Amino acid sequence: MWTLVVNCGSSSLKFALLNPASGEQPLSGLAERLGSDLASVRVDRNGDPVTVPLPRGSYAQAFGVLLAELDALGLRGAIRAIGHRVVHGGDRFSTPVLITPEVVEVIRACVPLAPLHNPANLAGIEAALATFPDLPQVAVFDTAFHQTLPEIAYRYAVPASWYTQHGVRRYGFHGISHAYVAGEAARRLGRPLPELSLITAHLGNGCSVTAVQGGRSVDTSMGLTPLEGLVMGTRSGDVDPGLPDYLARQAGLSLTQITAALNRESGLLGLSGLTNDMRELEEAAGRGNEPARLAVDIFVYRLAKTIAGMAVALGRLDALVFTGGIGENSAGVRATTLARLGLLGFRLNEAANARAVRGQGGPITAPDSLPALVVNTNEELMIARETAEVAGEVVGRGL
Ligand code: ADP
């Protein structure tokens, strides 16, 4: 009845052991800064977190820690399926799939589209296949939910051959989170998801907004890569496509340096010169730090513009959903965003907004307003559910 969820990032390994039906989670953990002297693993056994250093630790060593924890709980043998988060499935996967050698090859073929993420995802898959060769393993893609985008939303106005020969199109990301919170919002609104037109705003270190019509993604703010769209922690989001050429000539930077700066030195960090962390920026802005204030204001302005744009994709809007670390916790970002969206019919309920903090969520608008609500995302649970479903079909029974 247990599903193990594995999420390998470029230098991290996140894991969780879950009951997909009840959401019960006896074990979770996060290994960070793998490969560096500062590598460590935080393990949370039944709500009791412990951090252990793992200097120069590799993925394999982090996986070893996970196995030792499973053994300590006596649960290694009780795992029925393993779900892997995979960032980029290109246009080949619109649903989660059972991992076979062919699927591994397609994920490998998508490496040029996600050069930091897909190799890490593959490392996790290989480690898990080596340890649990007899268990069904499922790949759950961040891009899959957005495979329902219509062509007017996913094509760029560039030479058509770039699309046909090189796959240059918008793919979208954070699909696991957008899909989860859309379903959860429908439940909270007491209406069937197929009837609803929703906008979901996932605001974490990466940020994206999705238009969800009848449970299907019809537009989203991230594109070919997770760099497009909103202002993020360290990513610029949209800039003029002429910027790289201009800067290469003016500042003598290479394309690689410019792309790295757009990904890692821009966004809230670049604007403020301080930090990529929204909570710290709000505190600094509160103390009168002007660059911090400007960074938060630009973040909100661009977010509100993108949400308003997504309303065009839907034609009708039933509710707006905030999620992710910022969406779930920053009452300030939510309030200032809704203040800019009065023309869509949003009116904040200040007390409700102040109450909706991590762990709770809930509605944040006045009775005469178009509804906006906070839903705490749970990507691990979504992956576990989808994994159990696919694996259940494979073994011909529920897990
Ligand atoms: P990731 O995308 O890496 O999973 P999270 O979803 O945890 O990240 O979001 C991280 C962001 O959430 C950071 O910018 C952090 O400052 C912000 N955040 C967390 N708690 C708060 C808070 N109380 N107020 C404002 N921002 C917060």
Side-chain angles (χ1 to χ4, degrees), residues 14 85 174 202-207 232-233 235 268 275-283 299 323-333 357-358 377 379:
K14 216 171 162 181
R85 181 202 202 138
H174 290 147
H202 177 102
L203 310 173
N205 275 312
C207 301
M232 310 182 210
R235 287 175 234 160
L268 294 171
T275 173
N276 62 322
D277 188 290
M278 179 59 85
R279 185 174 8 189
E280 289 175 21
L281 283 176
E282 288 184 319
E283 284 162 8
F299 178 93
T323 194
I326 299 171
E328 292 168 24
N329 295 296
S330 175
V333 165
V357 291
R358 193 176 277 277
T377 196
E379 290 165 290

Side-chain angles (χ1 to χ4, degrees), residues 88-249:
H88 218 308
D91 56 9
R92 291 286 302 277
F93 300 109
S94 54
T95 55
V97 289
L98 188 75
I99 296 175
T100 61
E102 293 72 38
V103 167
V104 169
E105 280 323 301
V106 179
I107 296 171
R108 209 182 302 285
C110 292
V111 165
L113 288 167
L116 291 179
H117 294 100
N118 273 30
N121 302 154
L122 283 166
I125 290 172
E126 276 155 16
L129 283 172
T131 316
F132 298 99
D134 299 326
L135 284 183
Q137 309 216 12
V138 174
V140 184
F141 299 92
D142 250 339
T143 46
F145 182 55
H146 303 298
Q147 280 297 301
T148 48
L149 253 58
E151 199 165 4
I152 52 164
Y154 74 68
R155 287 287 295 274
Y156 291 112
V158 295
S161 61
W162 293 7
Y163 169 57
T164 52
Q165 291 173 22
H166 303 295
V168 172
R169 52 157 286 178
R170 309 183 64 253
Y171 292 96
F173 299 87
H174 290 147
I176 298 163
S177 177
H178 287 293
Y180 176 81
V181 299
E184 200 54 26
R187 200 179 62 75
R188 287 182 181 224
L189 292 165
R191 295 181 56 189
L193 186 59
E195 282 176 13
L196 288 173
S197 288
L198 302 171
I199 294 177
T200 51
H202 177 102
L203 310 173
N205 275 312
C207 301
S208 67
V209 167
T210 295
V212 184
Q213 194 163 50
R216 295 155 63 91
S217 170
V218 293
D219 203 352
T220 191
S221 61
M222 283 179 168
L224 174 73
T225 73
L227 186 54
E228 189 178 338
L230 302 174
V231 174
M232 310 182 210
T234 62
R235 287 175 234 160
S236 61
D238 292 343
V239 292
D240 186 329
L243 179 151
D245 178 68
Y246 174 81
L247 212 57
R249 283 186 282 111

